Amino acid sequence: MSQLDEGPAYLGAASESLAECTISEPERTPPRYQIVDADGSYDESQVPAIGDEELIDLYRWMVLQQVVDDRMVKLQRRGEMGTYASVRGQEASVVGCAFALEDDDWLFPYGREGAAELIQGMPLRDLLLYWRGVEDANKQAANNTFPPAIAIGTHIPVGVGFAWGMRLDDDDAIAALYHGDGHPSTGEYQAGVNFGSVVDAPALLFCPNNGYSISASFEQQTRAKSVAQKGIAWGIDGIRVDGNDVLAVYDAVKTAREHVADGNPTIVEAVTYRLDAHTTNDDPSRYRDQAEVDWWEDREPVGRFESFLQQRGVWDDIDPAAIREEANEQFDEAKAAADAFEKRDVSEMFEYLYDDLPPELERQLKDFESFLEARPDAYDYIEHRPKG
């Protein structure tokens, strides 16, 4: 029997029931996968196979992220850093996902995942340089990391295309595309994911859903109850996970990665909360209540993981003060190296993106150089870093 004897696949079966033929939005928000409760309690049978040293590493990375956020915001307030996007409250999402990736996997960041970039091998110095607007910090190809894409959704088609290329080359690695909960509402995201679904691109779409797209709440910018469910429209799977439970995120991404590596792009939505402002240029008190922040503060992920480690008996092998001191020393060294980084020329704007500069950019560079030669006083108005 040929396939056409039953009609084309997209036709589906006939039914006299209108209800049966109606695909409805779920009445309730789909559940999120969780291993460790907010008080640190857990079911031993659910804990993934992960050794004590790895558990301590997870904790160490989350503490480093906390220290980086605290120090970066202070630098920005002193005028030594550009605009910065804190990760505070989302440490488990950022670290749990990155920890589950393989060495050869590629990372496509969007700006709020510093620890993930560091786990990939990016020097902490370069993270500081990036937020100071130094182009050199974007050169992370040796660490399998693309430059962060601040413009919402624009890195999704690029990352999906890169993943497709890896598949055509029979590469076993995947591309992990970090993004916020507002990205799926953009045309770039929807076109990119649809294309990835059609070509079976090994792309993992990791969304730490912190409830806000800058100042717009999740309910204000989409009528969907979750990000994960949007995958149905593109013919791909979605997983919802507790984004403040680092073990659940790790386990969900580890499982999803195997599925992705087989050519099944997958969305992993880590439900979490941004405790700090969107960036250092934002005032969140204008669009959210303090009671809401306090609710999430009581459920922040690092304290939850500390409770888990205590209940599991691993905490006795940890010196939290020493770990935090070590993280601060790492930051001190990185800042000293960033401060010593040689000031770059304005021509840096035209470097790195292309092996061979396109004709139009060549023309713009020549025009710019001619302008600066004729008007050297213009240098007085060029701010190299920090930028705001």
Side-chain angles (χ1 to χ4, degrees), residues 27-212:
E27 292 184 6
R28 303 183 62 181
T29 302
R32 64 194 192 285
Y33 176 58
Q34 185 186 75
I35 293 175
V36 179
D37 290 338
D39 63 359
S41 60
Y42 61 98
D43 180 343
E44 179 63 35
S45 64
Q46 278 193 287
V47 177
I50 181 169
D52 288 354
E53 287 302 318
E54 290 177 294
L55 292 174
I56 295 173
D57 279 346
L58 281 170
Y59 179 68
R60 196 186 305 277
W61 282 114
M62 287 199 287
V63 170
L64 179 59
Q65 181 65 69
Q66 281 188 323
V67 168
V68 168
D69 287 332
D70 179 57
R71 300 283 300 272
M72 292 285 252
V73 171
K74 287 176 178 173
L75 286 180
Q76 196 277 339
R77 298 303 189 223
R78 294 204 301 261
E80 296 183 66
M81 181 56 61
T83 303
Y84 179 69
S86 170
V87 183
R88 196 170 79 84
Q90 300 180 209
E91 297 90 346
S93 295
V94 170
V95 171
C97 176
F99 211 74
L101 300 178
E102 301 290 337
D103 290 343
D104 292 334
D105 292 343
W106 281 78
L107 178 67
F108 287 75
Y110 75 107
R112 201 187 300 280
E113 60 285 280
E117 294 169 286
L118 300 178
I119 290 172
Q120 284 287 108
M122 179 180 184
L124 182 51
R125 180 206 70 164
D126 289 0
L127 187 65
L128 273 77
L129 290 177
Y130 169 78
W131 287 104
R132 285 180 168 177
V134 178
E135 294 287 334
D136 260 37
N138 287 319
K139 300 176 181 176
Q140 301 299 327
N143 300 313
N144 287 17
T145 300
F146 266 62
I150 299 299
I152 306 300
T154 54
H155 67 310
I156 302 301
V158 177
V160 166
F162 188 87
W164 183 37
M166 289 196 294
R167 181 171 180 79
L168 294 177
D169 287 342
D170 293 325
D171 196 327
D172 292 330
I174 71 162
L177 285 61
Y178 277 59
H179 61 82
D181 43 286
H183 291 64
S185 298
T186 66
E188 290 87 348
Y189 186 99
Q190 297 179 41
V193 176
N194 185 70
F195 181 75
S197 170
V198 171
V199 300
D200 301 330
L204 174 74
L205 298 134
F206 182 69
C207 175
N209 180 355
N210 64 26
Y212 284 93

Side-chain angles (χ1 to χ4, degrees), residues 296-348:
W296 281 98
E297 190 83 62
D298 290 340
R299 293 158 179 78
E300 63 84 24
V302 180
R304 180 196 292 198
F305 195 51
E306 287 178 354
S307 297
F308 164 81
L309 293 172
Q310 290 167 3
Q311 294 180 41
R312 197 172 176 80
V314 180
W315 191 249
D316 294 341
D317 298 327
I318 294 176
D319 184 342
I323 288 177
R324 199 163 293 274
E325 183 179 350
E326 180 186 337
N328 272 296
E329 289 173 356
Q330 283 181 255
F331 193 92
D332 288 340
E333 293 174 6
K335 180 180 180 300
D339 290 344
F341 191 77
E342 185 178 358
K343 193 174 182 178
R344 297 301 308 275
D345 190 82
V346 291
S347 63
E348 186 188 11

